[in-house]
Amino acid sequence: MDIDVERKNETLIAQVTGRVDSANAREFEQALSSAIGDDRKVILDLGNLSYISSSGLRVLLLVAKALRNKGAEFALCSLSDPIREIFEISGFDKIIPIYGSLMEVMGE
Amino acid sequence: MNVKRSLRFASDLRELERIQSVIKELEKEADWPPDLVYQVNLALEELVVNVIHYGHRGDPNHEIAIDLNWEAEKLTIEIVDDAPAFNPLKDNPEPDLTSKLENRPIGGLGIYLVHHLMDEIQYRREQGRNHLTLIKRREQ
């Protein structure tokens, strides 16, 4: 699992590549929390995420809650079909905004 | 075509990679579609991690057995462990899927996901072991 971070138009965009499972969920959590600073808007681009299990969902929920507490915006984009299905079954699509593409969420 | 695989491994998170490589072999050999590969990976990870964390409480001196049987109409997976009795069909609380973000509890989704992704789940306790059978029917 790799995370590439860039800042554009006062938005932090983190692109997640590879798999997030029980073996590396803690590493994923640490990488995300060190990448996210005082950003007011955070987007996770999951287009290159090949797999996520409930341990990864747990981390995303923690991040979503922390950002909400700070009054920051949080969104996900570019989920593959099987990953979108996992988000829907978990009811996460109702609490975290999910967009089709990075362009869509950036309003370009 | 009938393809079978058996795995015996220590109750340790580091063994998850072996499960992944067996699924990769089956994907190639039996030409599994990507969504099935994902669902089997997820079901096995969630259930095995549950046994490692809660069943064996992190003690790696236990064995977990997985048998996969890919047949004409269905995939059958059996997971056997010697942890205290745990029936995921009964003993797992329903997760909260409707609360607002602020109130949504963290965790408790793993077994719920398995229920949704598999077509059938059966549990039995036999000779001091948990036997969990998962069935995924093949799309015709």
Side-chain angles (χ1 to χ4, degrees):
Chain A
M1 177 265 310
D2 286 306
I3 300 180
D4 290 311
V5 175
E6 63 166 321
R7 286 188 171 79
K8 195 176 168 187
N9 303 337
E10 299 179 347
T11 300
L12 177 117
I13 303 162
Q15 191 174 56
V16 186
T17 302
R19 50 183 289 143
V20 177
D21 59 19
S22 306
N24 68 6
R26 186 159 296 178
E27 193 192 321
F28 180 55
E29 185 177 349
Q30 283 163 354
L32 281 181
S33 38
S34 65
I36 300 169
D38 292 329
D39 299 276
R40 306 308 298 161
K41 188 169 178 184
V42 174
I43 299 167
L44 290 193
D45 182 342
L46 303 184
N48 292 323
L49 179 69
S50 57
Y51 175 87
I52 190 165
S53 64
S54 70
S55 55
L57 294 180
R58 181 183 170 278
V59 174
L60 293 181
L61 186 55
L62 285 168
V63 170
K65 280 174 180 270
L67 289 169
R68 174 66 61 88
N69 282 341
K70 290 198 288 185
E73 279 182 63
F74 182 50
L76 307 174
C77 71
S78 313
L79 280 64
S80 66
D81 288 345
I83 290 178
R84 184 177 270 273
E85 187 188 7
I86 300 301
F87 277 78
E88 285 169 1
I89 297 171
S90 311
F92 275 30
D93 57 327
K94 304 285 192 298
I95 47 173
I96 304 173
I98 298 176
Y99 293 84
S101 67
L102 186 58
M103 273 168 72
E104 191 186 320
V105 62
M106 295 295 284
E108 286 168 356
Chain B
M1 181 173 59
N2 192 348
V3 184
K4 286 184 181 189
R5 280 289 185 289
S6 287
L7 260 159
R8 304 286 178 271
F9 54 93
S11 186
D12 188 320
L13 278 188
R14 282 172 294 193
E15 300 280 0
L16 286 176
E17 279 181 32
R18 286 182 50 201
I19 301 178
Q20 287 165 36
S21 46
V22 165
I23 295 171
K24 254 188 203 141
E25 283 173 29
L26 283 164
E27 179 184 10
K28 278 192 196 148
E29 226 173 286
D31 200 20
W32 278 8
D35 51 343
L36 180 66
V37 173
Y38 196 107
Q39 291 159 352
V40 173
N41 261 304
L42 190 97
L44 287 179
E45 181 190 332
E46 302 295 352
L47 295 167
V48 166
V49 166
N50 209 57
V51 173
I52 293 172
H53 280 162
Y54 303 106
H56 294 140
R57 304 217 166 258
D59 177 2
N61 298 312
H62 291 270
E63 189 184 72
I64 301 173
I66 300 179
D67 288 288
L68 298 110
N69 188 10
W70 174 248
E71 299 168 282
E73 309 88 37
K74 63 181 192 294
L75 168 70
T76 308
I77 302 171
E78 189 174 44
I79 305 170
V80 180
D81 66 73
D82 63 355
F86 176 77
N87 179 353
L89 300 169
K90 275 193 186 159
D91 305 338
N92 194 55
E94 281 282 306
D96 172 353
L97 304 175
T98 52
S99 292
K100 293 193 297 182
L101 175 59
E102 293 83 344
N103 306 323
R104 188 73 63 101
I106 308 275
L109 287 168
I111 288 173
Y112 179 78
L113 285 170
V114 178
H115 273 269
H116 269 258
L117 297 174
M118 294 292 129
D119 292 315
E120 234 176 277
I121 304 181
Q122 297 154 4
Y123 172 82
R124 65 181 199 278
R125 181 82 180 169
E126 209 175 86
Q127 296 179 329
R129 288 170 198 271
N130 296 303
H131 291 249
L132 195 65
T133 306
L134 312 176
I135 294 171
K136 183 79 182 169
R137 277 184 281 278
R138 292 176 66 168
E139 284 170 27
Q140 298 301 321

XYZ file of all heavy atoms in Angstrom, chain B residues 31-66:
293
model
N -9.977 -19.860 -13.412
C -10.449 -18.698 -14.152
C -11.554 -17.947 -13.394
O -12.618 -17.662 -13.937
C -10.947 -19.151 -15.539
C -10.989 -17.991 -16.509
O -10.295 -16.983 -16.251
O -11.734 -18.080 -17.505
N -11.261 -17.668 -12.131
C -12.250 -16.956 -11.309
C -12.419 -15.519 -11.786
O -11.428 -14.844 -12.075
C -11.781 -16.928 -9.853
C -12.085 -18.184 -9.107
C -12.580 -19.347 -9.606
C -11.891 -18.385 -7.705
N -12.701 -20.271 -8.597
C -12.292 -19.706 -7.430
C -11.426 -17.583 -6.668
C -12.243 -20.250 -6.147
C -11.367 -18.113 -5.393
C -11.779 -19.430 -5.136
N -13.660 -15.024 -11.793
C -13.872 -13.611 -12.126
C -13.380 -12.709 -10.984
O -13.345 -13.144 -9.824
C -15.389 -13.501 -12.292
C -15.951 -14.645 -11.544
C -14.910 -15.735 -11.530
N -13.000 -11.449 -11.292
C -12.427 -10.561 -10.279
C -13.323 -10.349 -9.057
O -12.819 -10.265 -7.933
C -12.230 -9.233 -11.016
C -12.277 -9.557 -12.455
C -13.048 -10.819 -12.624
N -14.643 -10.286 -9.246
C -15.482 -10.033 -8.073
C -15.494 -11.231 -7.121
O -15.517 -11.077 -5.903
C -16.905 -9.567 -8.442
C -17.579 -10.465 -9.435
O -16.873 -11.253 -10.099
O -18.804 -10.395 -9.568
N -15.404 -12.442 -7.661
C -15.338 -13.627 -6.797
C -14.015 -13.638 -6.023
O -13.987 -13.934 -4.819
C -15.488 -14.910 -7.623
C -15.443 -16.205 -6.810
C -16.643 -16.322 -5.879
C -15.366 -17.433 -7.709
N -12.927 -13.286 -6.705
C -11.616 -13.226 -6.057
C -11.683 -12.266 -4.866
O -11.228 -12.565 -3.760
C -10.530 -12.752 -7.064
C -9.199 -12.516 -6.357
C -10.373 -13.767 -8.182
N -12.296 -11.112 -5.093
C -12.414 -10.108 -4.030
C -13.240 -10.654 -2.859
O -12.855 -10.559 -1.699
C -13.072 -8.833 -4.585
C -12.881 -7.635 -3.687
C -12.020 -6.613 -4.035
C -13.550 -7.547 -2.471
C -11.821 -5.524 -3.203
C -13.360 -6.472 -1.628
C -12.497 -5.457 -2.005
O -12.293 -4.397 -1.172
N -14.380 -11.248 -3.192
C -15.294 -11.717 -2.147
C -14.681 -12.834 -1.306
O -14.848 -12.866 -0.090
C -16.603 -12.179 -2.795
C -17.391 -11.008 -3.369
C -18.399 -11.416 -4.422
O -18.439 -12.562 -4.851
N -19.212 -10.463 -4.866
N -13.949 -13.739 -1.959
C -13.335 -14.852 -1.214
C -12.193 -14.331 -0.347
O -12.054 -14.706 0.817
C -12.860 -15.960 -2.189
C -12.073 -17.030 -1.445
C -14.049 -16.573 -2.905
N -11.377 -13.418 -0.912
C -10.312 -12.798 -0.119
C -10.886 -12.139 1.127
O -10.372 -12.305 2.232
C -9.612 -11.704 -0.948
C -8.311 -12.191 -1.561
O -7.422 -12.663 -0.855
N -8.198 -12.074 -2.863
N -11.954 -11.383 0.929
C -12.539 -10.633 2.041
C -13.130 -11.578 3.092
O -12.877 -11.432 4.288
C -13.606 -9.670 1.519
C -14.046 -8.706 2.601
C -13.296 -7.391 2.460
C -15.520 -8.443 2.566
N -13.903 -12.574 2.628
C -14.547 -13.488 3.580
C -13.495 -14.215 4.415
O -13.618 -14.311 5.641
C -15.422 -14.490 2.822
N -12.444 -14.710 3.741
C -11.429 -15.457 4.492
C -10.655 -14.547 5.438
O -10.389 -14.911 6.583
C -10.484 -16.187 3.532
C -11.114 -17.402 2.843
C -10.128 -18.049 1.886
C -11.574 -18.436 3.867
N -10.330 -13.341 4.969
C -9.607 -12.436 5.875
C -10.443 -12.122 7.116
O -9.978 -12.240 8.245
C -9.232 -11.130 5.161
C -8.468 -10.206 6.116
C -8.259 -8.792 5.604
O -8.194 -8.587 4.380
O -8.170 -7.883 6.457
N -11.692 -11.728 6.903
C -12.535 -11.321 8.033
C -12.686 -12.461 9.055
O -12.567 -12.256 10.258
C -13.926 -10.893 7.563
C -13.963 -9.744 6.555
C -13.451 -8.415 7.100
O -13.192 -8.311 8.307
O -13.312 -7.474 6.284
N -12.952 -13.670 8.541
C -13.218 -14.783 9.459
C -11.951 -15.262 10.151
O -11.959 -15.534 11.360
C -13.900 -15.927 8.699
C -15.304 -15.565 8.178
C -15.794 -16.597 7.182
C -16.293 -15.433 9.338
N -10.858 -15.347 9.402
C -9.601 -15.823 9.993
C -9.073 -14.803 11.007
O -8.633 -15.171 12.110
C -8.570 -16.127 8.874
C -7.171 -16.295 9.449
C -8.976 -17.381 8.108
N -9.150 -13.521 10.670
C -8.683 -12.491 11.605
C -9.515 -12.526 12.885
O -9.001 -12.360 13.994
C -8.732 -11.094 10.940
C -8.577 -9.987 11.960
C -7.641 -10.980 9.881
N -10.792 -12.802 12.723
C -11.661 -12.915 13.881
C -11.218 -14.064 14.810
O -11.172 -13.910 16.030
C -13.094 -13.177 13.381
C -14.110 -12.646 14.328
O -14.113 -11.467 14.636
N -14.959 -13.531 14.825
N -10.880 -15.195 14.199
C -10.399 -16.340 14.997
C -9.072 -15.980 15.680
O -8.879 -16.236 16.875
C -10.211 -17.598 14.108
C -9.557 -18.723 14.904
C -11.544 -18.054 13.533
N -8.155 -15.348 14.931
C -6.832 -15.004 15.487
C -6.988 -14.026 16.662
O -6.434 -14.244 17.737
C -5.927 -14.390 14.389
C -5.587 -15.434 13.318
C -4.636 -13.822 15.003
C -4.856 -14.891 12.095
N -7.775 -12.970 16.461
C -7.893 -11.921 17.490
C -8.758 -12.319 18.675
O -8.374 -12.162 19.824
C -8.473 -10.646 16.893
C -7.450 -9.845 16.146
N -7.792 -8.877 15.233
C -6.101 -9.853 16.165
C -6.700 -8.335 14.733
N -5.653 -8.915 15.280
N -9.963 -12.819 18.371
C -10.928 -13.050 19.457
C -10.962 -14.502 19.897
O -11.128 -14.795 21.083
C -12.329 -12.592 19.029
C -12.328 -11.151 18.622
C -12.422 -10.775 17.293
C -12.183 -10.143 19.589
C -12.378 -9.437 16.920
C -12.136 -8.809 19.227
C -12.234 -8.463 17.895
O -12.180 -7.139 17.530
N -10.790 -15.444 18.945
C -10.837 -16.853 19.295
C -9.582 -17.276 20.039
O -9.642 -17.803 21.151
N -8.428 -17.027 19.435
C -7.155 -17.458 20.032
C -6.467 -16.335 20.798
O -5.388 -16.530 21.341
C -6.228 -17.994 18.933
C -6.715 -19.239 18.285
N -6.615 -19.479 16.933
C -7.338 -20.338 18.802
C -7.130 -20.668 16.647
N -7.597 -21.199 17.757
N -7.062 -15.166 20.815
C -6.538 -14.006 21.559
C -5.048 -13.772 21.289
O -4.253 -13.521 22.194
C -6.783 -14.164 23.063
C -8.257 -14.390 23.376
C -8.695 -13.712 24.650
N -10.144 -13.666 24.732
C -10.886 -12.594 24.470
N -10.324 -11.462 24.109
N -12.185 -12.637 24.571
N -4.666 -13.895 20.031
C -3.294 -13.587 19.647
C -2.287 -14.695 19.909
O -1.099 -14.513 19.656
N -2.729 -15.835 20.414
C -1.802 -16.951 20.667
C -1.591 -17.739 19.362
O -2.506 -18.408 18.889
C -2.389 -17.855 21.762
C -1.514 -19.069 22.032
O -0.441 -19.184 21.396
O -1.911 -19.900 22.873
N -0.379 -17.675 18.784
C -0.161 -18.328 17.481
C -0.008 -19.841 17.562
O 0.117 -20.500 16.531
C 1.136 -17.680 16.972
C 1.862 -17.269 18.207
C 0.825 -16.998 19.275
N -0.028 -20.424 18.779
C 0.164 -21.867 18.915
C -1.129 -22.641 18.690
O -1.462 -23.562 19.453
C 0.753 -22.202 20.294
C 2.116 -21.568 20.467
O 2.971 -21.673 19.583
N 2.305 -20.869 21.571
N -1.871 -22.241 17.692
C -3.095 -22.951 17.313
C -3.087 -23.050 15.798
O -2.486 -22.218 15.128
C -4.343 -22.167 17.740
C -4.547 -22.120 19.217
N -5.278 -23.056 19.895
C -4.103 -21.243 20.138
C -5.281 -22.756 21.189
N -4.571 -21.656 21.361
N -3.811 -24.069 15.307
C -3.856 -24.230 13.863
C -5.249 -23.858 13.341
O -6.257 -24.111 13.984
C -3.543 -25.690 13.500
C -3.352 -25.891 12.014
C -3.140 -27.355 11.654
O -4.106 -28.140 11.727
O -2.004 -27.702 11.304
N -5.251 -23.257 12.172
C -6.512 -22.981 11.470
C -6.450 -23.740 10.143
O -5.400 -23.767 9.494
C -6.686 -21.466 11.216
C -6.674 -20.697 12.542
C -7.997 -21.189 10.452
C -6.677 -19.177 12.391
N -7.553 -24.384 9.789
C -7.586 -25.150 8.535
C -8.620 -24.550 7.592
O -9.718 -24.184 8.011
C -7.943 -26.600 8.839
N -8.243 -24.444 6.326
C -9.191 -23.968 5.312
C -9.194 -24.965 4.157
O -8.131 -25.356 3.666
C -8.803 -22.575 4.765
C -8.783 -21.539 5.878
C -9.772 -22.129 3.655
C -8.381 -20.146 5.403
